[in-house]
Amino acid sequence: MFIETKKRKTMTPKSTINRILPVLPNIIDKYGTAVFIYDELGIRKNAERMMKSFSGLDFKQYFAVKACPNIHILKIMKDLGFGFDCSSPFELSLARIVGATPDDIMFTSNNTSVEMFRRAQEHGGSIINVDDINQIKNIPPPFPELMSFRYNPGKDRSNKEGGIFDDPSEEKFGVPEDDLLNAYRMAQVFGAWRFGLHTMIVSNELDYQYHLETIKMLLSIVMILKRELGIQIEFMNIGGGIGIPYKPDDKPFDIKALGLEATKLCQDFKKENGFVPQLCTESGRYITGPYGVLATRVINRMKKYKTFIGVDSNCLSSLVRPAMYGKLGGGYHHITFVDRKDLTVEKDGGDMENVTVVGSMCEGTDRFAFDRDMVKAEIGDVALCHDAGAHTLAMSGNYNSGLRPPEVLVRPDGSYLLISRRETEKDLFQRMRPI
Ligand SMILES: *Cc1c(COP(=O)(O)O)cnc(C)c1O
């Protein structure tokens, strides 16, 4: 889907890069580096493509707030007709601030406290998606009429090694097979009479067949619940986990094929059973990931036992994935360089070198790229870290007192808006008792 030329030099779509580059010099001039930049039109077009793929179905997408928890991004999601997948009280607040109604909020939490459930029930409530049979009793009264359980299928759905969820039976998430019927039974006793079914057993999976298998698995559970308990499941939610191509040889996710085959599955199910649940997703990464970049300035070239390129940010306060998953073979973010002499021009070709791109934290894993063949970078060039629109700034922290970069949204008309400012030393002092 993102391939616009046969040999692409960018991972983030070329169209997004082409909308960001013309305003990059002004954005950097105004807000400095490092800075996150998001492409609203890219996000919207991709979301519309997704919705179109499922247009033959009763379908609802809930944006996983944790992927990019800025209210200006969430406002776009609301605008697109998306709901919100929330897992903490503050995520509930973010969704409600942009106008989410109770049926727009999927509260997919885990290890949930009574207080968290109470927050989920405020303001007309939300769709509570329970993660463990023992948490049913923690839901404060009045007990919701509509609720859902997160199912964990265990070893049967183990997938490739080295994945983030390689074996569901090792995970803390979800209700195991043996508890599932009892969980629904118990919820009925507590007073629920409308139900959904949820699962999430994969992360960043590029093969749509895997997600299709998940829909098949849920449909078989839907049958069992109908037969055993007389429950007609209203929605089945496959969670997030639709992948994006971070690496040059990754194949883009075929959303159209998933839509087509899911539609066929659901239509066949309906023919046989007289009903079919609404299909839901909680995608985060797929929605915003490719449409954001982190722009960070090259400030040093260092020759040690290997060649290091130093940039003016660090992984821990901006782009955590390479530092967190790098050793597991994950966490790759593609990087290109913009020419210091003209910040609207992405360097292409010329001298190549093998480098490691690093930040300034006292932490060995603070590496944006490790032993990578790249176009030669000069001091003053700007490194664009691609696919930085999801699970990046949201994951970051202040370890080693790094300050988080600001976020800028490039709008469809080419104008841009600062949607969160740069973190300051004052922000860090604020939580400490003064001396
Ligand atoms: C993280 C998460 C998501 C979103 O995952 P993506 O990889 O961004 O699609 C959705 N649902 C739940 C329950 C999650 O924990």
Side-chain angles (χ1 to χ4, degrees):
M1 180 181 57
F2 304 132
I3 302 173
E4 275 146 67
T5 56
K6 273 250 153 45
K7 250 184 86 195
R8 64 180 160 179
K9 63 180 168 165
T10 71
M11 294 314 299
T12 283
K14 195 73 191 122
S15 50
T16 284
I17 298 287
N18 286 344
R19 281 189 286 272
I20 290 175
L21 284 178
V23 281
L24 186 67
N26 287 342
I27 290 174
I28 289 180
D29 198 39
K30 230 167 154 172
Y31 307 115
T33 48
V35 54
F36 281 91
I37 306 171
Y38 308 118
D39 166 33
E40 178 171 347
L41 196 61
I43 293 172
R44 282 182 181 273
K45 285 193 162 170
N46 180 52
E48 281 158 13
R49 235 177 347 249
M50 181 189 201
M51 298 308 280
K52 204 168 151 219
S53 303
F54 293 96
S55 58
L57 276 177
D58 182 7
F59 173 76
K60 184 156 179 172
Q61 145 70 9
Y62 296 82
F63 180 69
V65 172
K66 77 167 188 273
C68 195
N70 184 298
I71 46 178
H72 295 267
I73 299 294
L74 300 183
K75 187 98 178 30
I76 299 171
M77 300 301 142
K78 177 75 183 110
D79 229 43
L80 287 161
F82 288 3
F84 299 91
D85 157 38
C86 303
S87 63
S88 66
F90 187 60
E91 289 183 357
L92 288 165
S93 300
L94 292 172
R96 285 167 178 154
I97 278 174
V98 299
T101 56
D103 54 330
D104 279 337
I105 301 174
M106 189 69 69
F107 187 60
T108 306
S109 59
N110 68 89
N111 182 28
T112 314
S113 66
V114 174
E115 171 61 12
M116 281 162 80
F117 280 127
R118 196 187 62 70
R119 293 284 298 273
Q121 286 174 307
E122 281 176 353
H123 306 285
S126 58
I127 303 170
I128 292 182
N129 190 17
V130 178
D131 177 81
D132 186 85
I133 190 166
N134 286 313
Q135 282 168 22
I136 300 170
K137 63 176 188 319
N138 293 348
I139 302 174
F143 202 78
E145 64 177 58
L146 168 68
M147 62 172 295
S148 169
F149 286 100
R150 177 173 185 164
Y151 170 52
N152 180 331
K155 281 217 182 301
D156 282 0
R157 293 301 304 282
S158 295
N159 59 80
K160 60 178 181 275
E161 277 173 41
I164 296 169
F165 284 95
D166 44 6
D167 178 357
S169 73
E170 299 284 326
E171 299 294 338
K172 68 169 174 171
F173 304 111
V175 179
E177 196 165 354
D178 288 350
D179 279 348
L180 196 64
L181 284 183
N182 279 335
Y184 280 92
R185 246 182 230 122
M186 200 189 269
Q188 282 180 315
V189 169
F190 274 77
W193 55 276
R194 298 174 54 206
F195 294 99
L197 171 64
H198 173 280
T199 197
M200 170 148 179
I201 45 179
V202 77
S203 182
N204 195 37
E205 176 58 63
L206 287 166
D207 181 357
Y208 79 92
Q209 290 290 347
Y210 197 89
H211 300 275
L212 203 62
E213 279 308 307
T214 300
I215 299 173
K216 282 185 198 160
M217 175 187 83
L218 291 183
L219 284 171
S220 74
I221 306 281
V222 168
M223 290 294 293
I224 293 170
L225 288 168
K226 179 86 186 166
R227 192 177 64 226
E228 300 294 322
L229 303 178
I231 287 175
Q232 187 162 312
I233 291 289
E234 294 184 21
F235 66 83
M236 53 178 176
N237 183 343
I238 60 169
I242 295 181
I244 60 173
Y246 284 103
K247 293 182 180 163
D249 49 2
D250 283 347
K251 269 178 90 172
F253 189 89
D254 194 343
I255 195 85
K256 228 170 139 179
L258 179 64
L260 273 175
E261 295 200 33
T263 304
K264 170 115 185 34
L265 267 183
C266 290
Q267 283 171 348
D268 289 350
F269 185 93
K270 190 170 181 181
K271 251 186 234 145
E272 251 170 67
N273 301 286
F275 78 102
V276 69
Q278 178 186 54
L279 178 67
C280 304
T281 53
E282 293 172 340
S283 277
R285 189 188 317 271
Y286 184 77
I287 305 296
T288 55
Y291 309 100
V293 297
L294 171 67
T296 176
R297 184 81 76 167
V298 175
I299 54 169
N300 283 301
R301 290 183 52 90
M302 300 173 281
K303 251 198 154 54
K304 309 204 178 191
Y305 294 101
K306 44 174 72 198
T307 303
F308 293 94
I309 302 290
V311 294
D312 66 350
S313 60
N314 67 84
C315 289
L316 307 165
S317 63
S318 58
L319 199 76
V320 190
R321 296 183 68 258
M324 196 151 144
Y325 304 126
K327 284 264 159 171
L328 298 170
Y332 181 101
H333 280 264
H334 199 64
I335 297 176
T336 52
F337 294 106
V338 175
D339 198 322
R340 68 196 159 105
K341 293 187 226 95
D342 182 352
L343 292 181
T344 64
V345 176
E346 205 177 21
K347 285 184 163 180
D348 185 19
D351 289 351
M352 299 287 286
E353 59 181 348
N354 186 276
V355 295
T356 292
V357 179
V358 296
S360 56
M361 294 292 111
C362 305
E363 173 61 56
T365 61
D366 182 17
R367 294 185 284 241
F368 291 87
F370 184 65
D371 270 356
R372 199 178 292 177
D373 291 325
M374 302 178 83
V375 172
K376 190 164 182 216
E378 309 282 348
I379 292 174
D381 287 350
V382 169
L384 294 183
C385 305
H386 295 218
D387 301 300
H391 305 299
T392 50
L393 185 61
M395 268 187 173
S396 68
N398 293 123
Y399 180 58
N400 219 173
S401 300
L403 299 172
R404 278 172 281 204
E407 294 167 289
V408 172
L409 179 67
V410 177
R411 288 156 151 174
D413 67 1
S415 65
Y416 54 86
L417 182 72
L418 181 73
I419 59 171
S420 75
R421 65 160 171 78
R422 187 177 301 283
E423 203 164 37
T424 64
E425 289 189 20
K426 199 171 159 204
D427 292 328
L428 300 197
F429 269 124
Q430 225 158 39
R431 291 171 51 246
M432 278 186 241
R433 175 197 289 270
I435 48 170

